[in-house]
Amino acid sequence: MLTKTPLGETELQPGRRTLGLRERAVLVLADGTRPREMLASLYDGSAAPLVDRLLELGFIAPSSAMAREAQREPEQATHVADSFKIVRPSLGEARLYLFDLSERLLAPRDKHLAEHFREKLRMARDEAALIAVANKLLEMIAEHATPERVSGMAERLQRFFPDAMMGPTQFSKAVT
């Protein structure tokens, strides 16, 4: 079984393009569940040189080699985990989540109400306006959904709008 190495994982990150399209496709499929023969049979059997090149360049490796490497260098894995930074979602992502809530939960019951919220979401240009629309949307959803479900939605929205950026009870009003 072949799997991606850290170099292979890095190659698949956005903005990284050192390999060709076919090589990247083989790299994506090297997930530790497919044997070398299966990857080499891609493209009517013409992927064997691609697999060899990826192995040679260190983008993929046999799964057993990756397991041995992980056992040998646990402190390096800790170092990588320590450097991980949590990125706050953007307002655009929050808006998309709210659009989705409106479509899935309001539109089947009341198309006009769902359209009203879509328009409010389009007009909300800053965080405060988006939070106000989110609260109103949660209040509407709370009329039809269980308190647990509304609470779960409020928790997800808290990730978009952390307490530091808003009042601590902003979404809890909609849950009660």
Side-chain angles (χ1 to χ4, degrees):
M1 303 294 170
L2 296 176
T3 190
K4 291 176 232 21
T5 63
L7 179 65
E9 294 288 348
T10 302
E11 171 65 23
L12 294 177
Q13 297 297 315
R16 308 273 183 174
R17 302 280 175 167
T18 60
L19 297 175
L21 187 60
R22 287 185 169 207
E23 291 168 318
R24 287 176 64 85
V26 171
L27 183 60
V28 166
L29 292 174
D31 59 1
T33 63
R34 294 176 178 90
R36 184 183 192 291
E37 296 75 29
M38 186 268 174
L39 294 175
S41 70
L42 295 171
Y43 305 119
D44 294 326
S46 65
L50 300 176
V51 172
D52 292 339
R53 183 166 188 265
L54 291 172
L55 282 164
E56 180 181 309
L57 294 174
F59 287 100
I60 59 176
S63 296
S64 58
M66 290 299 293
R68 284 192 305 272
E69 188 69 25
Q71 288 174 351
R72 257 197 324 239
E73 299 180 27
E75 65 279 347
Q76 185 179 6
T78 304
H79 174 70
V80 171
D82 291 342
S83 67
F84 178 73
K85 295 178 184 172
I86 297 175
V87 178
R88 181 171 175 234
S90 71
L91 290 181
E93 290 171 314
R95 183 178 286 113
L96 286 174
Y97 177 71
L98 291 166
F99 270 119
D100 184 56
L101 285 180
S102 173
E103 277 303 304
R104 286 186 301 115
L105 302 173
L106 294 180
R109 288 188 176 88
D110 188 343
K111 296 231 183 268
H112 296 292
L113 184 60
E115 181 56 39
H116 168 77
F117 276 104
R118 282 192 296 266
E119 186 59 31
K120 291 283 187 190
L121 287 168
R122 284 186 200 105
M123 300 304 291
R125 298 291 179 204
D126 61 8
E127 188 170 288
L130 208 53
I131 288 171
V133 175
N135 274 322
K136 291 292 185 189
L137 182 60
L138 280 176
E139 288 173 14
M140 285 288 149
I141 292 170
E143 292 177 12
H144 304 285
T146 64
E148 294 82 20
R149 188 159 187 200
V150 176
S151 177
M153 289 175 209
E155 286 176 17
R156 282 186 212 93
L157 285 168
Q158 286 291 60
R159 293 180 191 144
F160 291 107
F161 308 108
D163 288 337
M165 302 303 283
M166 54 185 240
T169 60
Q170 195 76 18
F171 290 114
S172 60
K173 288 186 279 183
V175 177
T176 58

